[in-house]
Amino acid sequence: MTVVGLDDTDSREYGMCTTYVASRIAEELCGERTSSDSAGNTASISRTLLVRLNPAVEYKTRGNAALAIHTDCDPDRAFEIARGHLESLAEVGDDRTNPGLVVADHPAGGDGLAAETIPEEIGRFARRAIRDHLEIGEATELIERHGYRSWSDGDGRGLVGALAAVGSWRELEEWTYEHISYRERERWGTTRDVDLESVFDAADRGYPEAWDTVDRVEGEPVCVPHTPGPILYGIRGDGLETVRRLGREIESEPVASSRLFVTNQGTDAHLREGTIADARDGRAYRLEGQVATEPETRRGGHVFFSLAHPATTGTGDGDGAGTDRAVDTDDASSDGPRLECAAFEPTKRFRDRVRALRVGDRITACGEVSSGTLKLEKFAVRDLVRTERVTPTCSGCDRTMESAGRDQGYRCRDCETTAPGKETVPIERELEEGWYEVPPCARRHIAKPLVRGGFDTKTHLER
Ligand code: ATP
């Protein structure tokens, strides 16, 4: 079985898209466009993988995608065909485009390529490419050690993604689908002609098997990109037949070609377990913490708050259990490690959820850390502060009492009433326990929508 891994063909300026290059290669391998070659060789494709790598990588054009085609084509022939397409389609006019191609040959299993025959270290390389930062040198070393065929242009950076795409089938367990429809070449760069009503109708029919097709609150067709490239729309979901069917049901300008991709989109494969103390830039985490500062809306509409290690913030009774923890906001500071968390303006209504957090709430926060700030993709409320400790009010005049001196409680000078200390009052909360997520219009390709299920507590879905 031949695996053709490829990456880095597109440019922000000039367009192109590596899924399109992979699709063209796959078409030629199975003789769809070119009939078969002179020797009558046609191959079959068992699947085409669209693998999203570390979204924090600085070299990415947009979604950090790498592709792998699994085919029964002879590896030498596959290599020549793939190289030809990469040479002619990659936008190397942009010096940030550094295409890479890796062709591996591993035994077939019952359902195409046998995942366990891909070397373990190639699998691990894929996992690390999704969660970490890798060097080109490591990719070339592995390519050589395993005798893979390879080709690259520019600085060879594309070999990292191409090799990761090869290894992903061994390493990843969770897969979803995307059915992508491509535009006629002469229309690239022009406004897409897609009937929005048909998109919203199809999205309703396909939900929840197909997700992130539209954003119903923003009224946005999320499946239609804004970039100048060849994609007309892409339907994502868990149901292979559903995404295919929806792809056919949308009314639009002519579809030049289409392809089904098996992907790690919507799986949270980028998240690693971490702690506030060891979270580092350029990686994405799932971490436990306690809200340490009131969420603050800054210029541009971005919302920020600090997250502290659960044990380090002042929290009333301190056992953290139940709903009667009360937080004295004057006392909520700590010297322990903290991490700034942000919900940026494009996350729209998600920011209201973040603004509803209060000091002392315990949450699980998920997102990428960049410049010391965790960009929230979702969070789970674990324990809400439901009461607070406030300066008592006078029962005689209803005004706030004053301090009677250090450790001497409070008093009302006028009514001569006293109170031994702060009093506990209930707080109305807009949040409940459970997971909250960014809306579909702000979803990262690799982030798992709550509708896919499998979360450890109640979910509050955005559709
Ligand atoms: P698009 O989504 O529009 O297809 P892109 O966002 O996938 O574009 P690329 O053009 O593929 O971006 O650029 C990403 C580059 O970074 C590739 O050369 C890829 O090999 C490399 N790369 C990906 N992940 C890592 C990583 N974890 N460490 C180092 N380099 C990486």
Side-chain angles (χ1 to χ4, degrees):
M1 205 67 193
T2 299
V3 191
V4 180
L6 58 144
D7 197 4
D8 209 340
T9 62
D10 52 349
S11 142
R12 209 168 274 183
E13 203 178 329
Y14 305 114
M16 191 41 65
C17 166
T18 312
T19 72
Y20 178 75
V21 181
S23 191
R24 295 301 304 270
I25 294 170
E27 281 165 5
E28 188 169 346
L29 289 173
C30 50
E32 275 173 28
R33 290 221 168 190
T34 52
S35 62
S36 50
D37 66 14
S38 52
N41 290 321
T42 53
S44 63
I45 309 290
S46 50
R47 64 182 68 79
T48 311
L49 301 182
L50 162 51
V51 185
R52 298 289 178 176
L53 304 177
N54 185 353
V57 154
E58 64 185 284
Y59 319 102
K60 70 174 184 181
T61 312
R62 285 181 295 268
N64 206 4
L67 277 293
I69 304 163
H70 295 178
T71 172
D72 57 9
C73 180
D74 168 72
D76 288 323
R77 179 170 169 262
F79 182 77
E80 287 313 320
I81 288 174
R83 185 171 66 177
H85 282 281
L86 280 168
E87 277 174 343
S88 65
L89 290 173
E91 289 291 355
V92 286
D94 182 336
D95 60 11
R96 286 170 52 95
T97 303
N98 299 291
L101 167 69
V102 175
V103 174
D105 187 7
H106 293 300
D111 179 26
L113 176 69
E116 67 283 3
T117 64
I118 299 170
E120 204 183 331
E121 63 179 348
I122 305 297
R124 274 201 309 273
F125 184 88
R127 172 73 66 189
R128 289 167 52 229
I130 294 168
R131 295 197 175 162
D132 226 315
H133 291 255
L134 301 174
E135 300 297 330
I136 303 169
E138 188 181 347
T140 50
E141 217 174 274
L142 285 169
I143 288 166
E144 210 168 293
R145 183 147 74 237
H146 292 279
Y148 293 160
R149 295 157 182 80
S150 73
W151 170 88
S152 64
D153 200 352
D155 67 7
R157 167 74 50 193
L159 292 173
V160 174
L163 185 63
V166 170
S168 63
W169 193 242
R170 167 160 185 142
E171 184 67 15
L172 302 182
E173 278 158 14
E174 199 177 342
W175 297 97
T176 63
Y177 300 99
E178 177 161 1
H179 184 270
I180 300 183
S181 300
Y182 296 101
R183 313 186 72 189
E184 291 176 328
R185 186 145 203 162
E186 55 277 15
R187 292 181 191 257
W188 295 6
T190 65
T191 307
R192 289 168 174 83
D193 182 8
V194 179
D195 180 65
L196 291 192
E197 209 178 309
S198 76
V199 174
F200 278 87
D201 287 349
D204 283 343
R205 281 193 300 276
Y207 190 82
E209 279 233 296
W211 27 261
D212 290 357
T213 312
V214 296
D215 188 313
R216 287 165 180 87
V217 177
E218 296 301 319
E220 207 181 293
V222 178
C223 64
V224 183
H226 305 291
T227 46
I231 295 183
L232 185 56
Y233 50 81
I235 310 295
R236 298 175 178 188
D238 285 282
L240 181 155
E241 286 309 329
T242 304
V243 297
R244 260 200 196 126
R245 179 169 50 78
L246 260 53
R248 285 195 296 266
E249 285 175 1
I250 289 173
E251 288 162 30
S252 70
E253 64 185 54
V255 171
S257 64
S258 62
R259 183 158 300 272
L260 181 80
F261 294 89
V262 179
T263 99
N264 66 340
Q265 291 170 163
T267 64
D268 274 348
H270 62 318
L271 298 181
R272 56 169 78 208
E273 303 302 321
T275 64
I276 288 169
D278 58 27
R280 282 190 291 152
D281 278 358
R283 288 160 187 81
Y285 296 90
R286 187 184 291 114
L287 36 87
E288 307 301 319
Q290 183 157 318
V291 176
T293 60
E294 290 301 334
E296 179 197 346
T297 304
R298 297 194 194 148
R299 208 167 145 174
H302 314 305
V303 182
F304 293 84
F305 67 91
S306 263
L307 195 65
H309 189 276
T312 58
T313 323
T315 60
D317 65 19
D319 70 359
T323 54
D324 52 357
R325 278 185 315 117
V327 163
D328 182 343
T329 46
D330 297 339
D331 187 29
S333 61
S334 93
D335 296 331
R338 288 184 177 199
L339 183 64
E340 186 168 60
C341 297
F344 289 102
E345 190 282 330
T347 64
K348 304 292 173 196
R349 55 202 188 260
F350 178 64
R351 294 172 300 160
D352 294 332
R353 307 305 192 187
V354 174
R355 286 188 190 105
L357 287 166
R358 293 188 68 118
V359 171
D361 288 342
R362 296 211 173 144
I363 65 169
T364 303
C366 299
E368 170 199 323
V369 178
S370 165
S371 307
T373 299
L374 183 132
K375 303 183 207 164
L376 282 169
E377 294 168 10
K378 58 168 80 75
F379 68 87
V381 171
R382 302 297 182 186
D383 190 14
L384 285 176
V385 170
R386 297 203 183 264
T387 55
E388 65 183 332
R389 307 265 294 149
V390 294
T391 305
T393 45
C394 168
S395 54
C397 64
D398 246 7
R399 283 193 304 229
T400 307
M401 291 177 155
E402 290 168 8
S403 170
R406 196 179 162 88
D407 294 333
Q408 294 186 40
Y410 296 87
R411 67 177 178 186
C412 174
R413 274 181 209 275
D414 297 341
C415 308
E416 293 187 356
T417 50
T418 59
K422 286 192 171 178
E423 62 184 11
T424 301
V425 294
I427 319 171
E428 270 302 305
R429 299 304 308 264
E430 285 162 31
L431 293 172
E432 294 171 30
E433 261 108 81
W435 285 97
Y436 290 91
E437 62 181 347
V438 300
C441 67
R443 187 108 51 218
R444 311 197 88 167
H445 302 289
I446 199 167
K448 182 171 174 174
L450 298 180
V451 68
R452 292 203 59 230
F455 289 86
D456 58 7
T457 181
K458 186 174 169 181
T459 51
H460 304 274
L461 307 184
E462 289 291 349
R463 317 184 33 180

